[in-house]
Amino acid sequence: MILDKEAEIQRKLKIEPIEGSYNSYAVHEKEKRDWSGNIYLACVAAILAIAFFT
């Protein structure tokens, strides 16, 4: 939730029956990786490198 706005995220679920049980399932969730933190870190590192070498 950013600035009081909800973002709809579609989740990919993989549902598998558990062997040896009745009506029991294992749910595995696959999410897309959030790259925003890494991009921010790379930009800060680039700015610091430019400031250091100039």
Side-chain angles (χ1 to χ4, degrees):
M1 188 179 328
I2 299 173
L3 300 174
D4 295 330
K5 293 183 181 178
E6 289 189 28
E8 290 187 26
I9 299 173
Q10 291 189 359
R11 303 184 305 182
K12 294 184 179 181
L13 300 176
K14 183 178 179 183
I15 301 171
E16 299 175 341
I18 298 174
E19 292 183 25
S21 66
Y22 179 73
N23 254 0
S24 296
Y25 298 91
V27 178
H28 304 284
E29 185 174 354
K30 297 179 183 178
E31 287 190 26
K32 292 182 179 179
R33 187 170 181 155
D34 182 21
W35 289 96
S36 62
N38 292 341
I39 293 172
Y40 176 75
L41 182 63
C43 290
V44 170
I47 291 170
L48 290 176
I50 291 170
F52 180 75
F53 289 115
T54 56

